[in-house]
Every structure is written in C-alpha cells, then in structure tokens.
C-alpha cells in the first residue's frame, strides 16, 4: 500500500476542516501543509495559526513543508503549532545543520527538500541527521504543475544514497503526482507521495484518496 500525504494547497479553504476529514477517512498517512512566504517562492499561503487550528480536528500527523526564506526564524512557532515533520529547503537556510538540529531538539522529525535543479551533494554532510528527504518534482510554489521527467533518475540516485547511508530516512516526492504516474514514482524508490490537485481537485475526495492508497 502506498503512503500518501495529501497537500491541502489544492483544498477549498472555506471548508478546510471538512476536506481534511475526508482525506483521513480515505486513509491518508499525513496531512502535507505547504507554507509559502512570497519570497522563497512566488506565492503566499498560511502560517502557524492555521496549523494550530486544524491540529484540533484531526489525529493525522502534520508534514509541514516550509517554502520560506530563513526558516530558522520560525522553527519554534511551527513546532508549537503542532507540526510532526518540519522540512526546510536546503537553499533557504544559511546554516542547514544548525536548522536541522533545532527541529530535532524540539522533538520533531527533520526533513530537507531539494528543488529540481539542486544537486544531491547538498546531502553529503547532513544525511545522518535527517528523518526525511523531499525531492521536488516541480519548481515549488504552485499546485497543479507537471512532473519533471528528469526527476525519475534523481529519485533512483537518492534511493541508492539513502540505502547506503541512512536507510531509516523517508524518501518523499512532491509535485505533479497523479494516479497515472504514482506507481512509476514508487518504483523509482519513493516511500511517501505528496498529492495535491489529483486528490483535492476531485469531487469525491474520500474515494480518490482510497485509490491512491490502493496503488
Ligand atoms: C508545490 C507544493 C506541493 C503542491 C503539489 O510547491 O510543494 O505540495 O501542493 O501539488 P500537485 O500535486 O498538484 O502538484
Ligand atoms: Zn509541498
């Protein structure tokens, strides 16, 4: 069974609570929360207050994807709002090692995200400290973009590195994942799929979530 983290970026925010309940009913493993600041990416979403509020309505773990500059300034706030995993972009933080240690010192799982053009060698001296690696398969900022085909090779390489250096790491993939390419992404070595528009863009969110779980 595939592990999935539906991204609420494509949800209807006027009924965010209800839609999260639907992915929970469909068997989602995490809620993926895309935080954007209008600087690191050309879009703005939400911050800790929304996370704190939705924390009350679901037991699903919160997988928080920070697409913000200098995430180190806000780690504590996101941790206290109820995040379970906090992922930062390697390019957005000056002292990646320090930021990862801070996430872990707050009792949270720590992830690093790599943009499509970011080479895998940014993982070299940090991989032992990570709980999750997020490989972006679109340029971050928006839902509904197309999967970049070159990322398939990057995924296979990342899988090899993880297996060799720290097999406990969760390999997550985010962007352009649809029902018709999800199996290929899993076969390339992914452990956890982020899916936005292909779940929340459907009328029946519960059954669409179940379909992904059945892969
Ligand atoms: C993009 C976000 C994604 C986005 C994925 O910057 O990180 O999580 O919601 O959406 P889809 O699945 O529509 O590509
Ligand atoms: Zn994301």
């Amino acid at each position: 069974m595939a592990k999935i983290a539906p991204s609420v970026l494509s949800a209807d925010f006027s009924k965010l609570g209800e839609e999260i309940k639907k992915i929970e009913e469909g068997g989602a493993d995490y809620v993926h929360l895309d935080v954007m600041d209008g600087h690191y990416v050309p879009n703005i979403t939400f911050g800790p207050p929304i996370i704190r509020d939705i924390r009350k309505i679901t037991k699903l773990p919160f997988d928080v994807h920070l697409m913000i500059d200098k995430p180190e300034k806000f780690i504590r706030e996101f941790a206290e709002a109820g995040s379970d995993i906090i992922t930062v972009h390697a390019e957005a933080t000056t002292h990646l090692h320090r930021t990862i240690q801070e996430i872990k010192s707050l009792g949270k799982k720590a992830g690093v995200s790599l943009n499509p053009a970011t080479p895998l060698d940014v993982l070299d001296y940090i991989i032992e400290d990570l709980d999750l690696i997020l490989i972006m398969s679109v340029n971050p900022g928006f839902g509904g973009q197309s999967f970049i085909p070159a990322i398939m090779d990057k995924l296979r390489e990342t899988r090899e590195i993880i297996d060799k250096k720290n097999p406990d790491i969760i390999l997550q993939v985010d962007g352009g994942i649809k029902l018709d390419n999800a199996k290929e992404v899993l076969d390339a070595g992914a452990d956890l799929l982020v899916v936005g528009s292909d779940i929340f863009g459907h009328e029946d969110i519960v059954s669409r979530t179940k379909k992904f779980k059945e892969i």
Side-chain angles (χ1 to χ4, degrees), residues 50-126:
I50 301 261
I51 296 177
R52 192 173 305 120
D53 283 350
I54 57 175
R55 185 64 286 173
K56 298 173 206 150
I57 59 106
T58 178
K59 289 201 166 35
L60 287 176
F62 282 180
D63 162 35
V64 177
H65 178 191
L66 296 182
M67 285 163 277
I68 63 176
D69 266 333
K70 303 207 180 310
E72 58 273 19
K73 288 188 184 167
F74 297 99
I75 297 302
R76 179 173 287 278
E77 277 178 76
F78 281 103
E80 288 173 355
S83 309
D84 295 283
I85 303 173
I86 298 178
T87 297
V88 298
H89 273 256
E91 312 85 354
T93 183
T94 313
H95 303 288
L96 181 60
H97 184 272
R98 179 180 287 150
T99 304
I100 293 300
Q101 299 312 321
E102 189 183 349
I103 296 170
K104 294 172 65 162
S105 75
L106 293 163
K108 308 300 175 183
K109 290 197 163 150
V112 166
S113 180
L114 274 62
N115 280 331
T118 301
L120 292 172
D121 59 14
V122 301
L123 300 169
D124 278 356
Y125 303 101
I126 193 75

Side-chain angles (χ1 to χ4, degrees), residues 7 9 32 34 36 65 67 140-144 174-176 194-197:
S7 159
L9 186 62
H32 184 82
D34 287 305
M36 305 187 188
H65 178 191
M67 285 163 277
F142 302 95
D174 185 3
V194 177
V195 186
S197 49

